Amino acid sequence: FDSTRIGVVGGFGIERAVAPNWTIRAEALLAQFEPSSDSIFDDPETYTLDVHNTIGMLRFGANYRFGDPVSAGQGGAPEGTPFDFSGFYLGGNAGGHTALISMSDPDYEWYGSTHQHRSDGASGGIHAGYNWQNGAALIGVEAELALHGGSEDYLALYDVVDIEGQDVSTSLNWSGALKLKSGIVAQNTLMYV
């Protein structure tokens, strides 16, 4: 239906300091979007199609942290003190996604059921955030924008003249998120949800 949806996202990640101002990370996210209802026929009251979107993302990235973070062995903190991840950072990421589109059409008398369609592809984007750290505990906020590629086409087999034999395409174009982070720092590694 070529529209934008709002939803919730959750996940976890691990980030490692590799230089005083540089970190690398891996992150897994699962997003669930609000269902949409629309009609594929001229009669929207009778043939309503409900679409539910779930997207899984796995990405790897790098961050540049502004300021002067200090960790053990980098000229300031005693041995055993965790790396300081606090402050503003900017970064990029790349990876892949799988989008699962579940279509329920209970009022469709010829073919009433739930249909699952999957679309896989590459994704990449930018993110920026701010962390507050107290000892080994960390909280943060991050905004991100990602572009996605890949689509999946399938042939509609509905026994209706308007639909039968037509190609249907599912794809994910872009996503954005505002994330709250909570994590624990052990030496130069941050683990967060």
Side-chain angles (χ1 to χ4, degrees), residues 47-105:
Y47 303 117
T48 300
L49 186 68
D50 295 322
V51 179
H52 302 265
N53 299 305
T54 302
I55 300 169
M57 294 170 271
L58 179 63
R59 73 258 306 252
F60 303 92
N63 297 333
Y64 180 80
R65 192 166 313 281
F66 296 91
D68 296 317
V70 176
S71 67
Q74 292 181 353
E79 190 67 33
T81 300
F83 185 87
D84 185 0
F85 283 87
S86 60
F88 176 75
Y89 62 91
L90 182 65
N93 59 71
H97 76 275
T98 182
L100 181 63
I101 295 91
S102 172
M103 301 191 303
S104 299
D105 195 3

Side-chain angles (χ1 to χ4, degrees), residues 3-54:
S3 57
T4 301
R5 300 281 173 236
I6 296 174
V8 295
V9 63
F12 60 92
I14 185 165
E15 189 170 339
R16 175 102 175 143
V18 293
N21 293 86
W22 287 95
T23 62
I24 57 173
R25 73 181 193 179
E27 188 174 69
L29 299 171
L30 184 65
Q32 179 67 54
F33 295 91
E34 64 179 338
S36 61
S37 293
D38 207 337
S39 177
I40 53 177
F41 300 103
D42 294 332
D43 183 2
E45 298 299 323
T46 304
Y47 303 117
T48 300
L49 186 68
D50 295 322
V51 179
H52 302 265
N53 299 305
T54 302

Side-chain angles (χ1 to χ4, degrees), residues 90-184:
L90 182 65
N93 59 71
H97 76 275
T98 182
L100 181 63
I101 295 91
S102 172
M103 301 191 303
S104 299
D105 195 3
D107 294 330
Y108 186 24
E109 60 184 279
W110 292 284
Y111 209 68
S113 65
T114 300
H115 317 284
Q116 304 270 357
H117 307 286
R118 200 179 88 191
S119 171
D120 301 323
S123 63
I126 57 172
H127 54 264
Y130 194 90
N131 291 328
W132 295 268
Q133 185 173 337
N134 184 5
L138 179 138
I139 58 172
V141 61
E142 180 177 292
E144 71 168 47
L145 179 64
L147 299 177
H148 305 279
S151 65
E152 184 68 29
D153 297 329
Y154 66 95
L155 188 63
L157 298 176
Y158 306 115
D159 189 20
V160 178
V161 175
D162 293 344
I163 301 291
E164 187 175 13
Q166 292 187 16
D167 285 324
V168 179
S169 178
T170 59
S171 64
L172 174 66
N173 297 323
W174 65 274
S175 66
L178 180 61
K179 301 182 288 188
L180 300 176
K181 295 166 54 178
S182 176
I184 297 293

